[in-house]
Amino acid sequence: MRGLAVSDIDIKSGEIVISRRLILSPSDPVFDPRFRPPLDTVIPWTLAYRGPWLIPYASIPFDHHRGIGEQNLFRCLFGRDSLIIADFLGARVPGLRRGVICALGEAQGENFVAQSEEEPGRIPHEVRDAGDERAREIMAKEGWSFPYFGSVDSTPLWLKALSKEALEEPGLLDIQVGNKILGERAVLATKWILARLNTPSALIESKRSNPHGIKNQYWKDSGDSYMHADGTLVGEGSLASIETVAEVFDALIGAAQLYLLRPYLDWPLSGDELIQLAHKVRLKLIEHMWLGDRFALATERNKQGQQIALDSQASNQGRLLDSAIFDGPDWVMYRMVIAEALTDSQLLGPAGLRTLSSNHPSYRPGGYHTGSAWPMDGIFAGRGLLRHGFLPQATALIGRTVAAIESIGGFPELLRSDAPLHGWVSSEVIDIEGAADGFGNGFNRIVQPPQMIQGWTVAAYAWAQDHRQMWNRW
């Protein structure tokens, strides 16, 4: 079968396959681009209400996929996903960003709970109701409880979104959400960020309190997604990912703006002090991850307590251009280096931006976070290129990403990065021996089919269509 033949190249020499299952038949209509629903139809499919708040689901299945468990993984509110979706959809769905801010604020952490990884001020990663079938499965298998808080980027993304919304409508900060107004919740989120910056690296690090929780608590949250140049995986507890440093920078600047709107709240620092801290975070990024002519993927500490950069070229570095962290004339060199890397043939493939460069020993064309091309990731980086005036590069990146989506009969979570663009996505689940999944299951899932209606793919594609005149000029 076509899908099986393509996936063979994801299995490296010497690896032992312990499970291989076909999930999507090559005859499935989602491989036919004529089957793809128009945006005006699919966007409402992804939306729902959580109480009074309009929110997006991370993914939803096509009707004919409802009986396929692997196509029903993320039909709920995710912190990171919903904030990114609301950011991309913008004016298309009025009130969506406010709904996401309020829904996530209502679930904000209040206590320290190891099982759910809840911490005071922390914004949840995954919000599921007790009756959710997938929630019951996860609770039984991994010992989580919900809401589950195992991400370190949801909180800075939330704070940035709130500051952006509040600058347009300051009265939003006085809305009562649960037992607190949003302004008070902004203070709590800021305190959480400050507490989590208290690390040897002076950056927010991934550290789970539930040993069965997510190991790598960033958007690339699979167990094999962070590695050194030789393919050695990161250890436990000190990983700091480069894109979240930029997200924290933006959040601290946003908190400083909120301070000016509501200075009488119980802020841990003044507005000026928050801005100074943001600048320190930027300098720490350069100290730990700038390698002289390129940026590292991340940093971690070795057993001797030394910070070691992960010298792997990946899509993460591209997120810095969509941030304010390198705005201004002092940081031109860094912007140019990132822009050049994003359009190098090792990162920019036929389906868009690879999650990991093709010359890396860990690269797999269909690897979940180890080589595949995520449309959301490509549009993020493309938007950053546009932001800083790299127009030809943005055209190349966004153009390939849009074309890849349009070759499929859906809005897939990810695409294979090195396969003929005839609507091919990975059709199989492939597990190999090893414990790199981060959950101690004794196997590593190196390939899996994408969710075929992924919320942030829909939203990123909508953003690209709405801004076509900006990137389709070269």
Side-chain angles (χ1 to χ4, degrees):
M1 289 185 178
R2 181 176 62 186
L4 295 175
V6 170
S7 296
D8 283 339
I9 61 177
D10 293 306
I11 303 167
K12 298 181 182 296
S13 176
E15 292 181 335
I16 299 174
V17 176
I18 58 177
S19 176
R20 187 170 185 172
R21 294 179 291 119
L22 185 67
I23 304 299
L24 296 177
S25 166
S27 63
D28 194 306
V30 296
F31 291 97
D32 184 345
R34 295 172 298 178
F35 183 75
R36 191 179 66 258
L39 281 170
D40 289 344
T41 298
V42 76
I43 288 174
W45 290 355
T46 67
L47 305 179
Y49 279 92
R50 186 168 184 85
W53 314 119
L54 181 66
I55 56 100
Y57 288 141
S59 71
I60 60 167
F62 280 107
D63 285 343
H64 70 287
H65 287 162
R66 289 185 182 275
I68 302 175
E70 290 83 359
Q71 286 293 303
N72 291 266
L73 298 180
F74 309 129
R75 191 185 177 94
C76 69
L77 174 65
F78 276 76
R80 172 193 307 125
D81 298 59
S82 62
L83 290 160
I84 290 173
I85 291 167
D87 182 35
F88 275 134
L89 284 181
R92 270 186 180 255
V93 186
L96 182 60
R97 186 167 62 195
R98 174 184 288 203
V100 168
I101 290 167
C102 292
L104 293 174
E106 196 167 40
Q108 187 178 34
E110 296 182 355
N111 303 294
F112 289 98
V113 182
Q115 186 178 15
S116 65
E117 309 211 40
E118 179 183 352
E119 297 170 5
R122 193 176 197 178
I123 295 299
H125 168 63
E126 188 171 345
V127 182
R128 292 184 184 269
D129 297 321
D132 183 303
E133 182 178 346
R134 177 69 175 155
R136 293 197 299 268
E137 177 186 341
I138 294 172
M139 288 188 289
K141 187 177 180 181
E142 310 295 351
W144 298 6
S145 60
F146 289 96
Y148 175 66
F149 290 80
S151 67
V152 295
D153 50 347
S154 294
T155 307
L157 288 172
W158 181 85
L159 195 54
K160 179 182 177 180
L162 176 58
S163 65
K164 187 174 182 180
E165 192 81 358
L167 286 174
E168 298 174 5
E169 187 179 345
L172 178 66
L173 296 172
D174 303 318
I175 290 179
Q176 190 81 16
V177 176
N179 58 1
K180 296 179 179 64
I181 61 171
L182 278 178
E184 293 170 329
R185 294 193 177 280
V187 171
L188 292 173
T190 303
K191 290 180 177 178
W192 180 86
I193 290 174
L194 267 55
R196 291 297 297 261
L197 283 172
N198 186 21
T199 64
S201 68
L203 301 173
I204 290 183
E205 299 174 353
S206 176
K207 186 175 182 179
R208 56 183 171 183
S209 58
N210 181 339
H212 297 288
I214 295 173
K215 174 188 173 185
N216 298 324
Q217 300 194 347
Y218 303 97
W219 95 258
K220 290 183 178 176
D221 55 6
S222 49
D224 64 353
S225 53
Y226 286 89
M227 72 297 288
H228 292 272
D230 63 357
T232 303
L233 295 180
V234 297
E236 181 84 27
S238 68
L239 173 69
S241 187
I242 191 167
E243 81 286 351
T244 294
V245 182
E247 291 161 353
V248 169
F249 177 92
D250 291 341
L252 291 170
I253 298 298
Q257 294 167 336
L258 294 174
Y259 173 89
L260 294 176
L261 294 174
R262 296 293 184 272
Y264 50 80
L265 296 175
D266 185 26
W267 292 96
L269 297 174
S270 70
D272 287 343
E273 289 169 330
L274 288 166
I275 291 173
Q276 291 171 11
L277 180 58
H279 294 322
K280 290 179 181 178
V281 166
R282 175 168 53 196
L283 294 178
K284 283 296 179 181
L285 181 149
I286 295 170
E287 175 186 342
H288 294 314
M289 301 189 211
W290 175 244
L291 302 175
D293 61 352
R294 64 195 181 279
F295 278 103
L297 166 62
T299 181
E300 69 166 344
R301 277 184 301 287
N302 63 16
K303 294 180 180 179
Q304 290 72 45
Q306 300 168 313
Q307 291 296 140
I308 305 298
L310 277 64
D311 187 7
S312 299
Q313 293 305 294
S315 62
N316 304 57
Q317 290 92 320
R319 295 282 185 94
L320 273 64
L321 296 183
D322 197 61
S323 161
I325 195 165
F326 287 146
D327 282 1
D330 294 339
W331 316 102
V332 172
M333 176 183 68
Y334 301 121
R335 298 197 298 267
M336 293 181 65
V337 165
I338 295 170
E340 182 177 353
L342 288 174
T343 48
D344 185 278
S345 61
Q346 294 168 355
L347 273 180
L348 182 57
L353 184 63
R354 296 183 177 99
T355 44
L356 185 65
S357 63
S358 59
N359 64 340
H360 196 283
S362 300
Y363 171 75
R364 305 178 195 270
Y368 196 65
H369 290 133
T370 55
S372 62
W374 290 59
M376 168 275 301
D377 207 21
I379 299 298
F380 246 135
R383 189 171 75 172
L385 289 166
L386 284 174
R387 189 172 186 270
H388 291 292
F390 297 106
L391 299 183
Q393 295 92 329
T395 294
L397 178 48
I398 298 176
R400 291 192 191 186
T401 304
V402 167
I405 296 171
E406 292 176 346
S407 75
I408 301 292
F411 296 88
E413 178 184 16
L414 66 153
L415 297 114
R416 300 188 59 82
S417 61
D418 284 301
L421 286 181
H422 300 304
W424 288 7
V425 298
S426 293
S427 302
E428 296 178 279
V429 166
I430 302 178
D431 297 331
I432 63 171
E433 282 190 352
D437 70 336
F439 296 102
N441 289 324
F443 67 87
N444 184 25
R445 180 154 294 174
I446 59 170
V447 173
Q448 65 189 68
Q451 305 299 290
M452 291 305 297
I453 304 180
Q454 186 80 3
W456 57 22
T457 301
V458 173
Y461 183 74
W463 185 92
Q465 294 298 336
D466 292 344
H467 296 82
R468 181 175 285 272
Q469 74 282 1
M470 294 176 62
W471 60 266
N472 196 28
R473 295 186 291 168
W474 293 78

